[in-house]
């Protein structure tokens, strides 16, 4: 076990419908039960179908994810909150003013704002997924052997 690794991580974005559910699923895939992982949004949105598709390409099913807000979190005792949108970063800082928690902002474009063909849009979601996977591995210290 890595003593520098957080034990509970929250990924947060604006609607908990694209960026944070992808990050949550990737982190759970990599770390299983080693780390408690959750996600939330400033406001709950609707889960995006392109998210489901690009995660399915990795064999991860997020189709049952129900977007929810910070206020709907069952547990708020995180030692790391990774925010993926400016709005979520502000909310996390506000929520944690009196708590001992690290809040880190990863500027992450929302691929649902892109326009183009279905393939062009899917490519934006794949880029998001792959970028988040790399950053999560780096930040949380994933050193296992494998091709993920």
């Amino acid at each position: 076990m890595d003593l520098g690794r957080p034990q509970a991580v929250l990924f947060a974005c604006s609607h908990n419908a694209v960026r944070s559910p992808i990050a949550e699923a990737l982190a759970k895939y990599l770390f299983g039960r080693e780390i408690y992982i959750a996600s939330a949004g400033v406001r709950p949105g609707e889960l995006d179908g392109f998210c489901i598709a690009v995660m399915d390409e990795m064999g991860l099913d997020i189709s049952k994810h129900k977007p929810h807000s910070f206020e709907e979190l069952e547990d708020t005792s995180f030692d790391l909150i990774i925010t993926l949108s400016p709005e979520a970063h502000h909310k996390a800082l506000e929520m944690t003013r009196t708590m001992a928690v690290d809040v880190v902002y990863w500027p992450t474009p929302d691929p649902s704002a892109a326009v183009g063909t279905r393939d062009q849009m899917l490519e934006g979601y794949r880029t998001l997924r792959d970028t988040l996977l790399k950053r999560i591995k780096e930040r949380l210290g994933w050193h296992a052997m494998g091709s993920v």
Side-chain angles (χ1 to χ4, degrees):
M1 181 164 109
D2 180 354
L3 296 176
R5 181 181 291 165
Q7 297 305 299
V9 178
L10 175 68
F11 291 97
C13 65
S14 299
H15 300 283
N16 193 222
V18 178
R19 295 167 283 187
S20 57
I22 287 176
E24 176 185 11
L26 291 170
K28 284 181 174 177
Y29 174 71
L30 292 173
F31 297 99
R33 299 179 194 271
E34 284 182 57
I35 302 174
Y36 175 76
I37 308 284
S39 68
V42 175
R43 294 170 305 287
E46 295 289 325
L47 185 61
D48 187 297
F50 285 122
C51 286
I52 296 169
V54 299
M55 296 307 286
D56 188 54
E57 291 174 355
M58 287 185 66
L60 301 177
D61 180 6
I62 65 166
S63 64
K64 294 184 180 25
H65 174 80
K66 301 288 184 234
H68 54 274
S69 69
F70 279 86
E71 289 75 21
E72 295 170 294
L73 288 169
E74 293 178 20
D75 187 355
T76 58
S77 51
F78 298 97
D79 44 22
L80 175 62
I81 298 175
I82 297 173
T83 60
L84 306 171
S85 73
E87 189 177 25
H89 190 67
H90 176 74
K91 179 74 173 180
L93 290 174
E94 181 182 298
M95 180 182 101
T96 61
R97 273 191 311 239
T98 61
M99 301 164 68
V101 59
D102 288 333
V103 179
V104 178
Y105 175 50
W106 290 353
T108 308
D110 182 354
S112 68
V115 293
T117 66
R118 183 178 195 285
D119 286 340
Q120 289 169 328
M121 292 182 71
L122 276 170
E123 196 52 43
Y125 285 79
R126 288 181 187 115
T127 299
L128 167 69
R129 177 198 65 203
D130 297 346
T131 300
L132 286 172
L133 180 63
K134 181 179 184 287
R135 292 197 79 177
I136 290 165
K137 285 178 176 180
E138 288 170 358
R139 177 59 178 89
L140 301 181
W142 189 78
H143 301 293
M145 300 296 238
S147 60
V148 175

